[in-house]
């Protein structure tokens, strides 16, 4: 691992009786490492009880990432929100995060699982049924599957996968699959009807006039 830091003991405080454990995932994506609104939004997201908060600050240096993530993890202790770090197993373990999320250029889940303590979440981004099946066999706790719908950030990688592909993954893979890509309030229920365990998004949360109201609207889709 890149950081020679003694890891903290993981505290796993999720109360699964409240709602679906992977219902809502907010993914951060702020390019300015000094953006003060990121800290405020993370605090608000934790206060709203968003199930999973993925800190995805690929443009941050390690020191800045640890400062931001460490503050969020400390704030989330005893709360229902779980904080996972995108791509940086070393940072996740050093800070006692709830888990790590692995992308195409991260360590494979098979290599990560033996290094993690019980309760440490391993999430994997998948773009096909084959990738989803591989992630499940490697011991992933949850999957991101997408892009399900058109989204500007993924346009260069080809057309969206669609609800049919999501339905196929959900029917073949037991690991909870979260729908990702082009997510709007109106598209949540169709994803759930296709078998998704929940949804993951950036703008759906970051662009909401009221995050608390948006979370309430999203929770209603699960009823």
């Amino acid at each position: 691992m890149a950081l020679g830091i003694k890891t903290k003991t993981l505290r796993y405080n999720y109360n699964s009786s409240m709602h679906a454990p992977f219902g809502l995932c907010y993914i951060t994506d702020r390019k300015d490492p000094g953006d003060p609104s990121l800290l405020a939004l993370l605090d608000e997201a934790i206060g709203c009880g968003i199930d999973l908060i993925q800190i995805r600050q690929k443009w941050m240096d390690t020191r800045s990432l640890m400062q931001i993530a460490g503050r969020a993890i400390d704030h989330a202790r005893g709360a229902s929100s779980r904080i996972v770090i995108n791509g940086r197993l070393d940072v996740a373990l050093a800070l006692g995060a709830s888990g790590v999320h692995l992308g195409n250029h991260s360590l494979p889940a098979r290599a990560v699982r033996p290094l993690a303590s019980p309760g440490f979440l391993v999430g994997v981004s998948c773009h096909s049924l084959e990738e989803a099946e591989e992630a499940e066999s490697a011991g992933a706790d949850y999957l991101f599957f997408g892009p399900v719908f058109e989204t500007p950030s993924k346009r260069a990688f080809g057309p969206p996968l669609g609800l049919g592909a999501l339905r196929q993954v959900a029917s073949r893979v037991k690991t909870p699959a979260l729908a990702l890509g082009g997510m709007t309030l109106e598209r949540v229920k169709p994803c759930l009807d296709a078998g998704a365990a929940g949804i993951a998004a950036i703008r759906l949360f970051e662009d909401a006039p009221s995050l608390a109201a948006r979370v309430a609207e999203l929770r209603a889709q699960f009823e």
Side-chain angles (χ1 to χ4, degrees):
M1 288 182 277
L3 295 176
I5 300 174
K6 186 178 180 180
T7 61
K8 295 182 180 180
T9 301
L10 179 70
R11 299 183 187 179
Y12 189 64
N13 298 309
Y14 185 72
N15 180 358
S16 61
S17 66
M18 294 175 63
H19 38 66
F22 299 108
L24 301 179
C25 176
Y26 160 49
I27 306 168
T28 73
D29 188 39
R30 297 297 177 94
K31 294 180 173 60
D32 180 3
D35 186 352
S37 65
L38 175 58
L39 287 173
L41 192 53
L42 284 168
D43 287 347
E44 190 176 4
I46 293 165
C48 291
I50 293 177
D51 306 304
L52 205 60
I53 299 172
Q54 182 195 144
I55 298 182
R56 178 184 176 273
Q57 296 301 125
K58 296 183 178 182
W59 302 270
M60 276 188 179
D61 60 83
T62 298
R63 183 181 296 276
S64 298
L65 175 61
M66 291 193 70
Q67 289 174 343
I68 292 287
R71 185 180 184 279
I73 291 165
D74 286 342
H75 189 189
R77 298 201 191 281
S80 62
S81 296
R82 290 176 289 180
I83 310 295
V84 299
I85 310 298
N86 179 280
R88 294 294 302 270
L89 177 64
D90 54 346
V91 172
L93 291 177
L95 294 176
S98 293
V100 67
H101 188 87
L102 307 174
N104 293 338
H105 303 294
S106 305
L107 286 169
R110 289 187 187 280
V112 170
R113 178 52 72 196
L115 303 175
S117 59
F120 185 85
L121 298 175
V122 177
V124 179
S125 291
C126 301
H127 311 286
S128 67
L129 174 61
E130 292 73 23
E131 289 182 4
E133 290 176 332
E134 168 59 24
E136 180 171 68
S137 68
D141 294 290
Y142 70 90
L143 313 173
F144 280 0
F145 183 77
V148 177
F149 303 104
E150 170 75 13
T151 179
S153 63
K154 300 297 182 182
R155 195 169 289 153
F157 300 100
L161 300 174
L163 288 169
L166 174 63
R167 186 175 292 107
Q168 183 184 40
V169 165
S171 67
R172 296 275 295 274
V173 175
K174 294 180 180 179
T175 303
L178 281 68
L180 173 72
M183 204 57 54
T184 64
L185 186 62
E186 296 74 23
R187 289 170 170 172
V188 172
K189 191 63 164 62
C191 288
L192 298 177
D193 290 343
I199 61 98
I202 298 171
R203 293 188 305 276
L204 185 62
F205 296 104
E206 291 195 342
D207 294 348
S210 166
L211 186 56
R214 175 57 48 83
V215 169
E217 291 175 316
L218 291 168
R219 292 283 185 216
Q221 305 298 309
F222 290 78
E223 297 175 356

